Amino acid sequence: SKVKVAINGYGTIGKRVADAVFLQDDMEVIGISKTKPNFEARTAVLKGFPVYVPESSMDAFKKAGLPVAGTIEEMVKKADIVVDCTPGKIGITNKELYEKVGVKAIWQGGESKDVCSLSFNAEANYDQAYGADYARVVSCNTTGLCRAIYPLDQKYGVEKVRVTIVRRAGDPGDIKTGPVDALVLDPVKLPSHHGPDVKTIMPHINITSAAIKAPTTFMHLHVLNIKLKKECTVDDIKKLFVSRPRIKLISDGISSTAEIIEFGRDLGRSRNDMWESCVFKDSISIDDGELYFFQAIHQESDVIPENIDAIRAMTKLEKDNLKSIEKTNKALRKIG
Ligand code: NAD
């Protein structure tokens, strides 16, 4: 029988996780939760996902004419595993419920690393999640960094990583977040949290990061500078990246995040999601023994396949990470 997945929180990440679980043949969505009867709740109903709500929201959903399947606690009790996609710092407040019910749980990158003892990336530490009760899928930026650093470290040894992240200010549907016209040091004091977060997956990597928030919604952009232990050529790096299941080399005249998203639209990707790390092929350079490149990270979607692989590892559906990654990728990708 299929693994029963509940999705607690149905926003940017939760709605994509629900659709991605729906596309797999070894797991099913038994319910999603919403706190407010808004258009996303309506979408879930129209898609046929049972909607669970907090006791206190029952009346509001009734008034809005949205059918409710039960309370969040009832949903959690029906599940083999919960993917918690509530806003950052809220997820941890649900831990008591998951422990009480005895259900496995996955949190997202907005939670502190201390929400549970395991941070997850499908390529770098899938084995550690095999059979685990709790895991945190690291943030969109950390996921993108791990996907590049892990294979480089395996093949050439990473001596140090320096990364500057130009962050999208808000997601496309977000009408509350700014800036509208500024570059914001995020934070002023260095390093940003991203470098240390990579160490929750690969503790031995020497990495520091700086981040700047920019008035854009499409994607984040990383400027990477990596010193490797062994010598290699630009072609070696291109070959290595092409061989990775979640790196897409971007070329054909693309020099912006806007064109990557347009490419995603043209490929017919659901919600134009480019869930692979998008490495700009011609940016890959080696200067004075150091590797440089740009990569763009689609913040709304790159962690989605990671959540699917975390479900497979934790519920012991698949022991081999590359097999799980391939299965997930195949289900999500039509073309491209
Ligand atoms: P979001 O605000 O888009 O969605 C959160 C959802 O949770 C909403 O549907 C909201 O109604 C619901 N919710 C709020 N309080 C709740 C509660 N107490 N119980 C149940 N549901 C509740 O947030 P998001 O962007 O999807 O982020 C979710 C998590 O994923 C955060 O940890 C975030 O840091 C992380 N994340 C976000 C992005 C991104 O770019 N948006 C990328 C990677 C990781």
Side-chain angles (χ1 to χ4, degrees):
S1 73
K2 295 183 179 183
V3 163
K4 295 181 174 58
V5 184
I7 291 128
N8 196 10
Y10 191 75
T12 303
I13 300 298
K15 59 192 177 187
R16 286 174 168 80
V17 171
D19 285 356
V21 169
F22 182 80
L23 289 171
Q24 314 300 315
D25 61 14
D26 50 356
M27 54 187 82
E28 63 182 329
V29 180
I30 59 105
I32 67 99
S33 83
K34 274 301 288 178
T35 47
K36 293 192 195 101
N38 68 359
F39 72 95
E40 286 168 323
R42 177 79 59 192
T43 312
V45 170
L46 291 171
K47 287 192 174 197
F49 295 133
V51 176
Y52 293 82
V53 308
E55 195 79 61
S56 55
S57 301
M58 290 276 182
D59 278 352
F61 276 73
K62 214 180 214 170
K63 270 188 203 135
L66 287 165
V68 169
T71 64
I72 293 181
E73 182 158 348
E74 284 166 349
M75 172 180 82
V76 168
K77 282 183 177 156
K78 287 184 188 157
D80 298 317
I81 187 161
V82 179
V83 186
D84 190 302
C85 303
T86 57
K89 318 287 178 265
I90 300 280
I92 190 151
T93 65
N94 296 322
K95 189 169 187 181
E96 211 179 296
L97 171 64
Y98 306 150
E99 281 173 343
K100 189 179 89 183
V101 172
V103 67
K104 289 175 186 274
I106 298 172
W107 286 275
Q108 307 304 314
E111 296 307 315
S112 142
K113 67 174 173 36
D114 303 320
V115 69
C116 62
S117 58
L118 178 69
S119 289
F120 178 85
N121 173 263
E123 279 194 74
N125 70 346
Y126 184 98
D127 293 354
Q128 287 176 34
Y130 192 74
D133 286 334
Y134 304 122
R136 176 184 74 119
V137 169
V138 289
S139 76
C140 46
N141 280 311
T142 308
T143 295
L145 290 170
C146 287
R147 285 178 183 166
I149 295 166
Y150 176 75
L152 286 168
D153 192 43
Q154 291 289 298
K155 186 125 198 211
Y156 300 109
V158 163
E159 196 171 308
K160 66 174 184 180
V161 182
R162 301 296 177 249
V163 57
T164 303
I165 300 176
V166 181
R167 299 186 54 194
R168 65 90 181 94
D171 290 336
D174 180 355
I175 57 169
K176 290 182 186 153
T177 313
V180 173
D181 187 4
L183 293 171
V184 182
L185 309 186
D186 186 29
V188 176
K189 192 167 159 47
L190 298 172
S192 70
H193 73 274
H194 306 93
D197 206 28
V198 168
K199 287 168 169 281
T200 66
I201 305 271
M202 293 177 282
H204 65 285
I205 297 291
N206 172 342
I207 175 168
T208 61
S209 56
I212 300 147
K213 223 171 2 178
T216 178
T217 62
F218 294 126
M219 301 179 94
H220 301 297
L221 186 76
H222 296 177
V223 189
L224 281 130
N225 166 219
I226 302 179
K227 194 159 187 337
L228 298 169
K229 289 179 181 157
K230 288 188 204 145
E231 266 190 35
C232 63
T233 65
V234 165
D235 274 350
D236 293 334
I237 302 294
K238 286 182 184 166
K239 270 192 204 124
L240 177 68
F241 283 171
V242 164
S243 76
R244 304 319 302 173
R246 290 198 180 132
I247 292 181
K248 195 173 185 63
L249 285 191
I250 296 293
S251 57
D252 304 319
I254 293 181
S255 62
S256 69
T257 53
E259 292 159 292
I260 294 177
I261 294 299
E262 188 67 4
F263 187 27
R265 286 196 188 106
D266 293 346
L267 290 173
R269 291 287 181 91
S270 167
R271 303 185 173 94
N272 59 245
D273 287 351
M274 294 294 273
W275 40 262
E276 305 95 332
S277 294
C278 296
V279 173
F280 289 81
K281 186 176 169 190
D282 291 339
S283 74
I284 300 172
S285 323
I286 293 179
D287 183 59
D288 199 18
E290 293 188 22
L291 170 66
Y292 292 82
F293 62 94
F294 288 116
Q295 68 174 1
I297 301 298
H298 187 225
Q299 76 281 353
E300 298 178 281
S301 68
D302 79 323
V303 298
I304 306 307
E306 304 292 328
N307 274 278
I308 301 298
D309 295 326
I311 294 171
R312 263 201 204 101
M314 292 165 69
T315 59
K316 299 190 178 177
L317 281 170
E318 175 58 64
K319 218 169 177 152
D320 180 339
N321 75 324
L322 290 177
K323 279 192 188 150
S324 176
I325 289 173
E326 195 44 49
K327 189 173 169 67
T328 307
N329 285 4
K330 212 174 147 195
L332 293 185
R333 185 189 280 135
K334 287 180 217 140
I335 54 168

